[in-house]
Amino acid sequence: KQEVTQIPAALSVPEGENLVLNCSFTDSAIYNLQWFRQDPGKGLTSLLLIQSSQREQTSGRLNASLDKSSGRSTLYIAASQPGDSATYLCAVGGFQKLVFGTGTRLLVSP
Amino acid sequence: DTGVSQNPRHKITKRGQNVTFRCDPISEHNRLYWYRQTLGQGPEFLTYFQNEAQLEKSRLLSDRFSAERPKGSFSTLEIQRTEQGDSAMYLCASSLGQGTDNEQFFGPGTRLTVL
């Protein structure tokens, strides 16, 4: 059974800092990995999808890496802004479904 | 708006009542998923459709839950005889289903409160 863990559970940083969110998973037989953002009481916004054959994906200030053999992914956020404050969820994709971690709650203070 | 839509956005009901939620996926997406999210947790998979066929159901989906996608377009999730433990955010997602490039796009969710 796939298990996904995200560390840290919460993170508070001042504006402008670069930061790294971590995701680990127990079964390396994955199709892909998605990073999502969730604002309080809202649905999920897809940030990045990394296919199992890829090592990283970039979108703007976001960069996500994937190391299947070690069961790890990181989400790097450059030059953080208060608008980045949200919960970030990592989800590992099997053939049909996503298995989610419990998220990292990020607060970026001005 | 061409994203995934869900209705209603909020539902308050009394224990024992039946409720039904609707999801409209992104047009042309052949895969549709339902997830449930409780406070402080990540979403948990409930069920999955490819076109109109329901291909997988989680053990979380007790016999009080039923989902349909009759014409391969919108889907409904019904909960019968609701219990307080059913209180959660119910999320719908859709995708094109292109192998490892199977990016799922989520709707805004339906928040259910069972009193």
PDB file of all heavy atoms in Angstrom, chain B residues 29-66:
ATOM      1  N   HIS B  29     -12.696  15.278 -21.123  1.00  0.00           N
ATOM      2  CA  HIS B  29     -11.957  14.430 -20.185  1.00  0.00           C
ATOM      3  C   HIS B  29     -12.734  13.127 -19.996  1.00  0.00           C
ATOM      4  O   HIS B  29     -13.905  13.143 -19.593  1.00  0.00           O
ATOM      5  CB  HIS B  29     -11.776  15.142 -18.842  1.00  0.00           C
ATOM      6  CG  HIS B  29     -10.632  16.085 -18.833  1.00  0.00           C
ATOM      7  ND1 HIS B  29     -10.123  16.634 -17.667  1.00  0.00           N
ATOM      8  CD2 HIS B  29      -9.866  16.577 -19.836  1.00  0.00           C
ATOM      9  CE1 HIS B  29      -9.104  17.415 -17.963  1.00  0.00           C
ATOM     10  NE2 HIS B  29      -8.937  17.404 -19.268  1.00  0.00           N
ATOM     11  N   ASN B  30     -12.090  11.992 -20.251  1.00  0.00           N
ATOM     12  CA  ASN B  30     -12.806  10.734 -20.175  1.00  0.00           C
ATOM     13  C   ASN B  30     -12.732  10.106 -18.782  1.00  0.00           C
ATOM     14  O   ASN B  30     -13.506   9.216 -18.460  1.00  0.00           O
ATOM     15  CB  ASN B  30     -12.278   9.746 -21.219  1.00  0.00           C
ATOM     16  CG  ASN B  30     -10.800   9.441 -21.050  1.00  0.00           C
ATOM     17  OD1 ASN B  30     -10.069  10.163 -20.375  1.00  0.00           O
ATOM     18  ND2 ASN B  30     -10.350   8.362 -21.673  1.00  0.00           N
ATOM     19  N   ARG B  31     -11.819  10.587 -17.939  1.00  0.00           N
ATOM     20  CA  ARG B  31     -11.703  10.019 -16.594  1.00  0.00           C
ATOM     21  C   ARG B  31     -12.248  10.983 -15.551  1.00  0.00           C
ATOM     22  O   ARG B  31     -12.022  12.195 -15.638  1.00  0.00           O
ATOM     23  CB  ARG B  31     -10.244   9.694 -16.269  1.00  0.00           C
ATOM     24  CG  ARG B  31      -9.681   8.550 -17.100  1.00  0.00           C
ATOM     25  CD  ARG B  31      -8.316   8.145 -16.606  1.00  0.00           C
ATOM     26  NE  ARG B  31      -7.816   6.959 -17.303  1.00  0.00           N
ATOM     27  CZ  ARG B  31      -6.716   6.306 -16.956  1.00  0.00           C
ATOM     28  NH1 ARG B  31      -6.005   6.706 -15.930  1.00  0.00           N
ATOM     29  NH2 ARG B  31      -6.333   5.248 -17.641  1.00  0.00           N
ATOM     30  N   LEU B  32     -12.967  10.438 -14.586  1.00  0.00           N
ATOM     31  CA  LEU B  32     -13.548  11.256 -13.522  1.00  0.00           C
ATOM     32  C   LEU B  32     -13.343  10.539 -12.197  1.00  0.00           C
ATOM     33  O   LEU B  32     -13.527   9.324 -12.097  1.00  0.00           O
ATOM     34  CB  LEU B  32     -15.041  11.479 -13.789  1.00  0.00           C
ATOM     35  CG  LEU B  32     -15.769  12.461 -12.860  1.00  0.00           C
ATOM     36  CD1 LEU B  32     -16.863  13.207 -13.619  1.00  0.00           C
ATOM     37  CD2 LEU B  32     -16.328  11.775 -11.637  1.00  0.00           C
ATOM     38  N   TYR B  33     -12.950  11.296 -11.184  1.00  0.00           N
ATOM     39  CA  TYR B  33     -12.593  10.744  -9.883  1.00  0.00           C
ATOM     40  C   TYR B  33     -13.364  11.483  -8.778  1.00  0.00           C
ATOM     41  O   TYR B  33     -13.616  12.677  -8.873  1.00  0.00           O
ATOM     42  CB  TYR B  33     -11.096  10.950  -9.593  1.00  0.00           C
ATOM     43  CG  TYR B  33     -10.165  10.542 -10.703  1.00  0.00           C
ATOM     44  CD1 TYR B  33      -9.957  11.370 -11.807  1.00  0.00           C
ATOM     45  CD2 TYR B  33      -9.463   9.334 -10.656  1.00  0.00           C
ATOM     46  CE1 TYR B  33      -9.096  11.009 -12.821  1.00  0.00           C
ATOM     47  CE2 TYR B  33      -8.585   8.972 -11.667  1.00  0.00           C
ATOM     48  CZ  TYR B  33      -8.411   9.811 -12.747  1.00  0.00           C
ATOM     49  OH  TYR B  33      -7.550   9.453 -13.758  1.00  0.00           O
ATOM     50  N   TRP B  34     -13.688  10.755  -7.719  1.00  0.00           N
ATOM     51  CA  TRP B  34     -14.210  11.352  -6.499  1.00  0.00           C
ATOM     52  C   TRP B  34     -13.231  11.072  -5.362  1.00  0.00           C
ATOM     53  O   TRP B  34     -12.735   9.940  -5.216  1.00  0.00           O
ATOM     54  CB  TRP B  34     -15.579  10.781  -6.137  1.00  0.00           C
ATOM     55  CG  TRP B  34     -16.710  11.257  -6.991  1.00  0.00           C
ATOM     56  CD1 TRP B  34     -17.263  10.614  -8.061  1.00  0.00           C
ATOM     57  CD2 TRP B  34     -17.463  12.474  -6.824  1.00  0.00           C
ATOM     58  NE1 TRP B  34     -18.307  11.357  -8.588  1.00  0.00           N
ATOM     59  CE2 TRP B  34     -18.445  12.493  -7.840  1.00  0.00           C
ATOM     60  CE3 TRP B  34     -17.391  13.530  -5.915  1.00  0.00           C
ATOM     61  CZ2 TRP B  34     -19.357  13.542  -7.973  1.00  0.00           C
ATOM     62  CZ3 TRP B  34     -18.300  14.566  -6.050  1.00  0.00           C
ATOM     63  CH2 TRP B  34     -19.279  14.567  -7.070  1.00  0.00           C
ATOM     64  N   TYR B  35     -12.975  12.111  -4.565  1.00  0.00           N
ATOM     65  CA  TYR B  35     -12.133  12.013  -3.384  1.00  0.00           C
ATOM     66  C   TYR B  35     -12.886  12.634  -2.208  1.00  0.00           C
ATOM     67  O   TYR B  35     -13.764  13.468  -2.383  1.00  0.00           O
ATOM     68  CB  TYR B  35     -10.815  12.781  -3.563  1.00  0.00           C
ATOM     69  CG  TYR B  35      -9.869  12.220  -4.606  1.00  0.00           C
ATOM     70  CD1 TYR B  35     -10.025  12.523  -5.962  1.00  0.00           C
ATOM     71  CD2 TYR B  35      -8.798  11.403  -4.236  1.00  0.00           C
ATOM     72  CE1 TYR B  35      -9.149  12.017  -6.906  1.00  0.00           C
ATOM     73  CE2 TYR B  35      -7.914  10.901  -5.179  1.00  0.00           C
ATOM     74  CZ  TYR B  35      -8.103  11.208  -6.503  1.00  0.00           C
ATOM     75  OH  TYR B  35      -7.231  10.709  -7.448  1.00  0.00           O
ATOM     76  N   ARG B  36     -12.470  12.261  -1.002  1.00  0.00           N
ATOM     77  CA  ARG B  36     -13.029  12.854   0.208  1.00  0.00           C
ATOM     78  C   ARG B  36     -11.878  13.378   1.056  1.00  0.00           C
ATOM     79  O   ARG B  36     -10.852  12.695   1.203  1.00  0.00           O
ATOM     80  CB  ARG B  36     -13.825  11.810   1.000  1.00  0.00           C
ATOM     81  CG  ARG B  36     -14.468  12.354   2.263  1.00  0.00           C
ATOM     82  CD  ARG B  36     -15.381  11.328   2.909  1.00  0.00           C
ATOM     83  NE  ARG B  36     -14.662  10.209   3.480  1.00  0.00           N
ATOM     84  CZ  ARG B  36     -15.260   9.154   4.020  1.00  0.00           C
ATOM     85  NH1 ARG B  36     -16.575   9.060   4.019  1.00  0.00           N
ATOM     86  NH2 ARG B  36     -14.533   8.185   4.529  1.00  0.00           N
ATOM     87  N   GLN B  37     -12.075  14.576   1.603  1.00  0.00           N
ATOM     88  CA  GLN B  37     -11.036  15.198   2.423  1.00  0.00           C
ATOM     89  C   GLN B  37     -11.622  15.651   3.749  1.00  0.00           C
ATOM     90  O   GLN B  37     -12.574  16.431   3.786  1.00  0.00           O
ATOM     91  CB  GLN B  37     -10.403  16.395   1.702  1.00  0.00           C
ATOM     92  CG  GLN B  37      -9.232  17.011   2.438  1.00  0.00           C
ATOM     93  CD  GLN B  37      -8.609  18.158   1.683  1.00  0.00           C
ATOM     94  OE1 GLN B  37      -9.263  18.832   0.895  1.00  0.00           O
ATOM     95  NE2 GLN B  37      -7.324  18.391   1.909  1.00  0.00           N
ATOM     96  N   THR B  38     -11.048  15.170   4.838  1.00  0.00           N
ATOM     97  CA  THR B  38     -11.437  15.641   6.161  1.00  0.00           C
ATOM     98  C   THR B  38     -10.400  16.644   6.658  1.00  0.00           C
ATOM     99  O   THR B  38      -9.284  16.731   6.131  1.00  0.00           O
ATOM    100  CB  THR B  38     -11.574  14.470   7.149  1.00  0.00           C
ATOM    101  OG1 THR B  38     -10.352  13.716   7.140  1.00  0.00           O
ATOM    102  CG2 THR B  38     -12.725  13.566   6.750  1.00  0.00           C
ATOM    103  N   LEU B  39     -10.773  17.376   7.679  1.00  0.00           N
ATOM    104  CA  LEU B  39      -9.960  18.503   8.153  1.00  0.00           C
ATOM    105  C   LEU B  39      -8.549  18.070   8.517  1.00  0.00           C
ATOM    106  O   LEU B  39      -8.350  17.115   9.274  1.00  0.00           O
ATOM    107  CB  LEU B  39     -10.646  19.144   9.358  1.00  0.00           C
ATOM    108  CG  LEU B  39     -10.220  20.573   9.689  1.00  0.00           C
ATOM    109  CD1 LEU B  39     -10.539  21.495   8.522  1.00  0.00           C
ATOM    110  CD2 LEU B  39     -10.915  21.047  10.959  1.00  0.00           C
ATOM    111  N   GLY B  40      -7.571  18.745   7.951  1.00  0.00           N
ATOM    112  CA  GLY B  40      -6.181  18.480   8.286  1.00  0.00           C
ATOM    113  C   GLY B  40      -5.572  17.277   7.581  1.00  0.00           C
ATOM    114  O   GLY B  40      -4.409  16.945   7.832  1.00  0.00           O
ATOM    115  N   GLN B  41      -6.337  16.646   6.712  1.00  0.00           N
ATOM    116  CA  GLN B  41      -5.840  15.470   5.998  1.00  0.00           C
ATOM    117  C   GLN B  41      -5.767  15.736   4.502  1.00  0.00           C
ATOM    118  O   GLN B  41      -6.394  16.667   3.987  1.00  0.00           O
ATOM    119  CB  GLN B  41      -6.766  14.272   6.246  1.00  0.00           C
ATOM    120  CG  GLN B  41      -6.915  13.899   7.705  1.00  0.00           C
ATOM    121  CD  GLN B  41      -5.601  13.475   8.316  1.00  0.00           C
ATOM    122  OE1 GLN B  41      -4.857  12.666   7.746  1.00  0.00           O
ATOM    123  NE2 GLN B  41      -5.287  14.011   9.480  1.00  0.00           N
ATOM    124  N   GLY B  42      -5.013  14.899   3.790  1.00  0.00           N
ATOM    125  CA  GLY B  42      -5.029  14.960   2.345  1.00  0.00           C
ATOM    126  C   GLY B  42      -6.265  14.249   1.811  1.00  0.00           C
ATOM    127  O   GLY B  42      -6.874  13.442   2.513  1.00  0.00           O
ATOM    128  N   PRO B  43      -6.658  14.534   0.587  1.00  0.00           N
ATOM    129  CA  PRO B  43      -7.813  13.833  -0.004  1.00  0.00           C
ATOM    130  C   PRO B  43      -7.571  12.327  -0.081  1.00  0.00           C
ATOM    131  O   PRO B  43      -6.440  11.882  -0.276  1.00  0.00           O
ATOM    132  CB  PRO B  43      -7.905  14.445  -1.409  1.00  0.00           C
ATOM    133  CG  PRO B  43      -7.238  15.782  -1.287  1.00  0.00           C
ATOM    134  CD  PRO B  43      -6.128  15.573  -0.305  1.00  0.00           C
ATOM    135  N   GLU B  44      -8.660  11.569   0.069  1.00  0.00           N
ATOM    136  CA  GLU B  44      -8.607  10.108  -0.054  1.00  0.00           C
ATOM    137  C   GLU B  44      -9.494   9.675  -1.212  1.00  0.00           C
ATOM    138  O   GLU B  44     -10.627  10.142  -1.340  1.00  0.00           O
ATOM    139  CB  GLU B  44      -9.087   9.446   1.234  1.00  0.00           C
ATOM    140  CG  GLU B  44      -8.203   9.697   2.438  1.00  0.00           C
ATOM    141  CD  GLU B  44      -8.811   9.096   3.690  1.00  0.00           C
ATOM    142  OE1 GLU B  44      -9.837   9.625   4.158  1.00  0.00           O
ATOM    143  OE2 GLU B  44      -8.276   8.078   4.176  1.00  0.00           O
ATOM    144  N   PHE B  45      -8.987   8.767  -2.007  1.00  0.00           N
ATOM    145  CA  PHE B  45      -9.690   8.277  -3.184  1.00  0.00           C
ATOM    146  C   PHE B  45     -10.962   7.535  -2.799  1.00  0.00           C
ATOM    147  O   PHE B  45     -10.956   6.719  -1.888  1.00  0.00           O
ATOM    148  CB  PHE B  45      -8.755   7.342  -3.964  1.00  0.00           C
ATOM    149  CG  PHE B  45      -9.402   6.602  -5.084  1.00  0.00           C
ATOM    150  CD1 PHE B  45      -9.634   7.218  -6.306  1.00  0.00           C
ATOM    151  CD2 PHE B  45      -9.761   5.271  -4.934  1.00  0.00           C
ATOM    152  CE1 PHE B  45     -10.219   6.527  -7.346  1.00  0.00           C
ATOM    153  CE2 PHE B  45     -10.348   4.563  -5.965  1.00  0.00           C
ATOM    154  CZ  PHE B  45     -10.570   5.198  -7.184  1.00  0.00           C
ATOM    155  N   LEU B  46     -12.041   7.824  -3.529  1.00  0.00           N
ATOM    156  CA  LEU B  46     -13.297   7.098  -3.330  1.00  0.00           C
ATOM    157  C   LEU B  46     -13.621   6.188  -4.512  1.00  0.00           C
ATOM    158  O   LEU B  46     -13.859   4.996  -4.345  1.00  0.00           O
ATOM    159  CB  LEU B  46     -14.461   8.079  -3.127  1.00  0.00           C
ATOM    160  CG  LEU B  46     -14.457   8.895  -1.833  1.00  0.00           C
ATOM    161  CD1 LEU B  46     -15.650   9.845  -1.819  1.00  0.00           C
ATOM    162  CD2 LEU B  46     -14.463   7.992  -0.619  1.00  0.00           C
ATOM    163  N   THR B  47     -13.655   6.767  -5.725  1.00  0.00           N
ATOM    164  CA  THR B  47     -14.037   5.984  -6.874  1.00  0.00           C
ATOM    165  C   THR B  47     -13.588   6.663  -8.155  1.00  0.00           C
ATOM    166  O   THR B  47     -13.206   7.841  -8.150  1.00  0.00           O
ATOM    167  CB  THR B  47     -15.558   5.752  -6.911  1.00  0.00           C
ATOM    168  OG1 THR B  47     -15.876   4.771  -7.919  1.00  0.00           O
ATOM    169  CG2 THR B  47     -16.324   7.039  -7.198  1.00  0.00           C
ATOM    170  N   TYR B  48     -13.614   5.898  -9.258  1.00  0.00           N
ATOM    171  CA  TYR B  48     -13.065   6.367 -10.526  1.00  0.00           C
ATOM    172  C   TYR B  48     -13.907   5.828 -11.687  1.00  0.00           C
ATOM    173  O   TYR B  48     -14.322   4.668 -11.665  1.00  0.00           O
ATOM    174  CB  TYR B  48     -11.617   5.901 -10.610  1.00  0.00           C
ATOM    175  CG  TYR B  48     -11.069   5.623 -11.984  1.00  0.00           C
ATOM    176  CD1 TYR B  48     -10.827   6.652 -12.884  1.00  0.00           C
ATOM    177  CD2 TYR B  48     -10.761   4.317 -12.360  1.00  0.00           C
ATOM    178  CE1 TYR B  48     -10.298   6.387 -14.124  1.00  0.00           C
ATOM    179  CE2 TYR B  48     -10.232   4.041 -13.608  1.00  0.00           C
ATOM    180  CZ  TYR B  48     -10.003   5.082 -14.486  1.00  0.00           C
ATOM    181  OH  TYR B  48      -9.476   4.815 -15.722  1.00  0.00           O
ATOM    182  N   PHE B  49     -14.154   6.700 -12.661  1.00  0.00           N
ATOM    183  CA  PHE B  49     -14.879   6.331 -13.881  1.00  0.00           C
ATOM    184  C   PHE B  49     -13.995   6.561 -15.092  1.00  0.00           C
ATOM    185  O   PHE B  49     -13.283   7.570 -15.179  1.00  0.00           O
ATOM    186  CB  PHE B  49     -16.128   7.211 -14.060  1.00  0.00           C
ATOM    187  CG  PHE B  49     -17.214   6.946 -13.064  1.00  0.00           C
ATOM    188  CD1 PHE B  49     -17.196   7.572 -11.821  1.00  0.00           C
ATOM    189  CD2 PHE B  49     -18.254   6.097 -13.361  1.00  0.00           C
ATOM    190  CE1 PHE B  49     -18.205   7.349 -10.897  1.00  0.00           C
ATOM    191  CE2 PHE B  49     -19.278   5.858 -12.443  1.00  0.00           C
ATOM    192  CZ  PHE B  49     -19.232   6.492 -11.209  1.00  0.00           C
ATOM    193  N   GLN B  50     -14.065   5.639 -16.034  1.00  0.00           N
ATOM    194  CA  GLN B  50     -13.542   5.898 -17.367  1.00  0.00           C
ATOM    195  C   GLN B  50     -14.756   5.878 -18.285  1.00  0.00           C
ATOM    196  O   GLN B  50     -15.398   4.836 -18.446  1.00  0.00           O
ATOM    197  CB  GLN B  50     -12.508   4.871 -17.805  1.00  0.00           C
ATOM    198  CG  GLN B  50     -11.975   5.178 -19.191  1.00  0.00           C
ATOM    199  CD  GLN B  50     -10.586   4.642 -19.435  1.00  0.00           C
ATOM    200  OE1 GLN B  50      -9.794   4.477 -18.506  1.00  0.00           O
ATOM    201  NE2 GLN B  50     -10.273   4.363 -20.674  1.00  0.00           N
ATOM    202  N   ASN B  51     -15.039   7.036 -18.864  1.00  0.00           N
ATOM    203  CA  ASN B  51     -16.312   7.231 -19.571  1.00  0.00           C
ATOM    204  C   ASN B  51     -17.451   6.904 -18.607  1.00  0.00           C
ATOM    205  O   ASN B  51     -17.468   7.438 -17.505  1.00  0.00           O
ATOM    206  CB  ASN B  51     -16.331   6.416 -20.845  1.00  0.00           C
ATOM    207  CG  ASN B  51     -15.208   6.824 -21.783  1.00  0.00           C
ATOM    208  OD1 ASN B  51     -15.008   8.010 -22.031  1.00  0.00           O
ATOM    209  ND2 ASN B  51     -14.457   5.850 -22.284  1.00  0.00           N
ATOM    210  N   GLU B  52     -18.375   6.031 -18.965  1.00  0.00           N
ATOM    211  CA  GLU B  52     -19.486   5.757 -18.059  1.00  0.00           C
ATOM    212  C   GLU B  52     -19.218   4.569 -17.135  1.00  0.00           C
ATOM    213  O   GLU B  52     -20.042   4.271 -16.257  1.00  0.00           O
ATOM    214  CB  GLU B  52     -20.768   5.526 -18.865  1.00  0.00           C
ATOM    215  CG  GLU B  52     -20.767   4.274 -19.715  1.00  0.00           C
ATOM    216  CD  GLU B  52     -20.118   4.491 -21.069  1.00  0.00           C
ATOM    217  OE1 GLU B  52     -19.488   5.546 -21.264  1.00  0.00           O
ATOM    218  OE2 GLU B  52     -20.249   3.601 -21.933  1.00  0.00           O
ATOM    219  N   ALA B  53     -18.108   3.893 -17.309  1.00  0.00           N
ATOM    220  CA  ALA B  53     -17.813   2.694 -16.520  1.00  0.00           C
ATOM    221  C   ALA B  53     -17.105   3.035 -15.207  1.00  0.00           C
ATOM    222  O   ALA B  53     -16.076   3.701 -15.210  1.00  0.00           O
ATOM    223  CB  ALA B  53     -16.947   1.747 -17.346  1.00  0.00           C
ATOM    224  N   GLN B  54     -17.672   2.549 -14.106  1.00  0.00           N
ATOM    225  CA  GLN B  54     -17.033   2.714 -12.795  1.00  0.00           C
ATOM    226  C   GLN B  54     -16.032   1.583 -12.622  1.00  0.00           C
ATOM    227  O   GLN B  54     -16.418   0.421 -12.448  1.00  0.00           O
ATOM    228  CB  GLN B  54     -18.079   2.690 -11.687  1.00  0.00           C
ATOM    229  CG  GLN B  54     -17.543   3.040 -10.314  1.00  0.00           C
ATOM    230  CD  GLN B  54     -18.647   3.140  -9.263  1.00  0.00           C
ATOM    231  OE1 GLN B  54     -19.744   2.623  -9.444  1.00  0.00           O
ATOM    232  NE2 GLN B  54     -18.366   3.815  -8.162  1.00  0.00           N
ATOM    233  N   LEU B  55     -14.738   1.897 -12.645  1.00  0.00           N
ATOM    234  CA  LEU B  55     -13.705   0.872 -12.714  1.00  0.00           C
ATOM    235  C   LEU B  55     -13.053   0.545 -11.381  1.00  0.00           C
ATOM    236  O   LEU B  55     -12.416  -0.503 -11.251  1.00  0.00           O
ATOM    237  CB  LEU B  55     -12.631   1.282 -13.729  1.00  0.00           C
ATOM    238  CG  LEU B  55     -13.115   1.414 -15.166  1.00  0.00           C
ATOM    239  CD1 LEU B  55     -11.939   1.719 -16.093  1.00  0.00           C
ATOM    240  CD2 LEU B  55     -13.846   0.161 -15.624  1.00  0.00           C
ATOM    241  N   GLU B  56     -13.161   1.426 -10.402  1.00  0.00           N
ATOM    242  CA  GLU B  56     -12.564   1.128  -9.101  1.00  0.00           C
ATOM    243  C   GLU B  56     -13.328   1.852  -8.011  1.00  0.00           C
ATOM    244  O   GLU B  56     -13.759   2.986  -8.187  1.00  0.00           O
ATOM    245  CB  GLU B  56     -11.088   1.543  -9.056  1.00  0.00           C
ATOM    246  CG  GLU B  56     -10.387   1.126  -7.756  1.00  0.00           C
ATOM    247  CD  GLU B  56      -8.896   1.408  -7.760  1.00  0.00           C
ATOM    248  OE1 GLU B  56      -8.352   1.748  -8.818  1.00  0.00           O
ATOM    249  OE2 GLU B  56      -8.272   1.272  -6.681  1.00  0.00           O
ATOM    250  N   LYS B  57     -13.508   1.156  -6.899  1.00  0.00           N
ATOM    251  CA  LYS B  57     -14.145   1.746  -5.726  1.00  0.00           C
ATOM    252  C   LYS B  57     -13.290   1.463  -4.507  1.00  0.00           C
ATOM    253  O   LYS B  57     -12.846   0.334  -4.300  1.00  0.00           O
ATOM    254  CB  LYS B  57     -15.545   1.153  -5.515  1.00  0.00           C
ATOM    255  CG  LYS B  57     -16.547   1.523  -6.577  1.00  0.00           C
ATOM    256  CD  LYS B  57     -17.974   1.216  -6.159  1.00  0.00           C
ATOM    257  CE  LYS B  57     -18.222  -0.260  -5.990  1.00  0.00           C
ATOM    258  NZ  LYS B  57     -19.657  -0.534  -5.706  1.00  0.00           N
ATOM    259  N   SER B  58     -13.091   2.470  -3.683  1.00  0.00           N
ATOM    260  CA  SER B  58     -12.329   2.310  -2.451  1.00  0.00           C
ATOM    261  C   SER B  58     -13.168   1.598  -1.393  1.00  0.00           C
ATOM    262  O   SER B  58     -14.399   1.639  -1.421  1.00  0.00           O
ATOM    263  CB  SER B  58     -11.914   3.686  -1.942  1.00  0.00           C
ATOM    264  OG  SER B  58     -11.528   3.648  -0.594  1.00  0.00           O
ATOM    265  N   ARG B  59     -12.467   0.997  -0.433  1.00  0.00           N
ATOM    266  CA  ARG B  59     -13.181   0.405   0.708  1.00  0.00           C
ATOM    267  C   ARG B  59     -13.885   1.477   1.531  1.00  0.00           C
ATOM    268  O   ARG B  59     -14.776   1.182   2.319  1.00  0.00           O
ATOM    269  CB  ARG B  59     -12.203  -0.364   1.589  1.00  0.00           C
ATOM    270  CG  ARG B  59     -11.710  -1.648   0.957  1.00  0.00           C
ATOM    271  CD  ARG B  59     -10.684  -2.308   1.842  1.00  0.00           C
ATOM    272  NE  ARG B  59      -9.527  -1.464   2.040  1.00  0.00           N
ATOM    273  CZ  ARG B  59      -8.549  -1.721   2.903  1.00  0.00           C
ATOM    274  NH1 ARG B  59      -8.595  -2.789   3.661  1.00  0.00           N
ATOM    275  NH2 ARG B  59      -7.522  -0.903   3.022  1.00  0.00           N
ATOM    276  N   LEU B  60     -13.464   2.743   1.357  1.00  0.00           N
ATOM    277  CA  LEU B  60     -14.126   3.849   2.057  1.00  0.00           C
ATOM    278  C   LEU B  60     -15.554   4.026   1.571  1.00  0.00           C
ATOM    279  O   LEU B  60     -16.393   4.596   2.273  1.00  0.00           O
ATOM    280  CB  LEU B  60     -13.361   5.156   1.821  1.00  0.00           C
ATOM    281  CG  LEU B  60     -11.974   5.278   2.427  1.00  0.00           C
ATOM    282  CD1 LEU B  60     -11.335   6.580   1.972  1.00  0.00           C
ATOM    283  CD2 LEU B  60     -12.037   5.213   3.946  1.00  0.00           C
ATOM    284  N   LEU B  61     -15.831   3.544   0.364  1.00  0.00           N
ATOM    285  CA  LEU B  61     -17.150   3.736  -0.237  1.00  0.00           C
ATOM    286  C   LEU B  61     -18.072   2.628   0.245  1.00  0.00           C
ATOM    287  O   LEU B  61     -18.206   1.581  -0.395  1.00  0.00           O
ATOM    288  CB  LEU B  61     -17.008   3.712  -1.759  1.00  0.00           C
ATOM    289  CG  LEU B  61     -17.926   4.632  -2.554  1.00  0.00           C
ATOM    290  CD1 LEU B  61     -17.624   6.082  -2.248  1.00  0.00           C
ATOM    291  CD2 LEU B  61     -17.789   4.369  -4.040  1.00  0.00           C
ATOM    292  N   SER B  62     -18.706   2.890   1.403  1.00  0.00           N
ATOM    293  CA  SER B  62     -19.611   1.876   1.960  1.00  0.00           C
ATOM    294  C   SER B  62     -20.855   1.744   1.087  1.00  0.00           C
ATOM    295  O   SER B  62     -21.045   2.497   0.124  1.00  0.00           O
ATOM    296  CB  SER B  62     -20.018   2.276   3.380  1.00  0.00           C
ATOM    297  OG  SER B  62     -20.973   3.323   3.343  1.00  0.00           O
ATOM    298  N   ASP B  63     -21.720   0.793   1.456  1.00  0.00           N
ATOM    299  CA  ASP B  63     -22.913   0.562   0.630  1.00  0.00           C
ATOM    300  C   ASP B  63     -23.907   1.705   0.733  1.00  0.00           C
ATOM    301  O   ASP B  63     -24.915   1.730   0.018  1.00  0.00           O
ATOM    302  CB  ASP B  63     -23.572  -0.779   0.982  1.00  0.00           C
ATOM    303  CG  ASP B  63     -23.902  -0.883   2.454  1.00  0.00           C
ATOM    304  OD1 ASP B  63     -23.747   0.126   3.176  1.00  0.00           O
ATOM    305  OD2 ASP B  63     -24.301  -1.977   2.888  1.00  0.00           O
ATOM    306  N   ARG B  64     -23.651   2.677   1.595  1.00  0.00           N
ATOM    307  CA  ARG B  64     -24.518   3.860   1.639  1.00  0.00           C
ATOM    308  C   ARG B  64     -24.158   4.870   0.538  1.00  0.00           C
ATOM    309  O   ARG B  64     -24.904   5.805   0.294  1.00  0.00           O
ATOM    310  CB  ARG B  64     -24.417   4.543   3.005  1.00  0.00           C
ATOM    311  CG  ARG B  64     -24.924   3.700   4.172  1.00  0.00           C
ATOM    312  CD  ARG B  64     -24.902   4.498   5.469  1.00  0.00           C
ATOM    313  NE  ARG B  64     -23.556   4.915   5.851  1.00  0.00           N
ATOM    314  CZ  ARG B  64     -23.099   6.167   5.739  1.00  0.00           C
ATOM    315  NH1 ARG B  64     -23.876   7.115   5.271  1.00  0.00           N
ATOM    316  NH2 ARG B  64     -21.870   6.454   6.109  1.00  0.00           N
ATOM    317  N   PHE B  65     -23.022   4.671  -0.074  1.00  0.00           N
ATOM    318  CA  PHE B  65     -22.536   5.574  -1.110  1.00  0.00           C
ATOM    319  C   PHE B  65     -22.765   4.948  -2.481  1.00  0.00           C
ATOM    320  O   PHE B  65     -22.500   3.760  -2.685  1.00  0.00           O
ATOM    321  CB  PHE B  65     -21.034   5.825  -0.955  1.00  0.00           C
ATOM    322  CG  PHE B  65     -20.652   6.679   0.217  1.00  0.00           C
ATOM    323  CD1 PHE B  65     -20.762   6.196   1.516  1.00  0.00           C
ATOM    324  CD2 PHE B  65     -20.161   7.960   0.026  1.00  0.00           C
ATOM    325  CE1 PHE B  65     -20.400   6.977   2.593  1.00  0.00           C
ATOM    326  CE2 PHE B  65     -19.788   8.750   1.098  1.00  0.00           C
ATOM    327  CZ  PHE B  65     -19.906   8.256   2.386  1.00  0.00           C
ATOM    328  N   SER B  66     -23.212   5.770  -3.429  1.00  0.00           N
ATOM    329  CA  SER B  66     -23.305   5.294  -4.804  1.00  0.00           C
ATOM    330  C   SER B  66     -22.940   6.431  -5.736  1.00  0.00           C
ATOM    331  O   SER B  66     -23.284   7.590  -5.496  1.00  0.00           O
ATOM    332  CB  SER B  66     -24.700   4.759  -5.114  1.00  0.00           C
ATOM    333  OG  SER B  66     -25.654   5.790  -5.003  1.00  0.00           O
TER     334      SER B  66
END
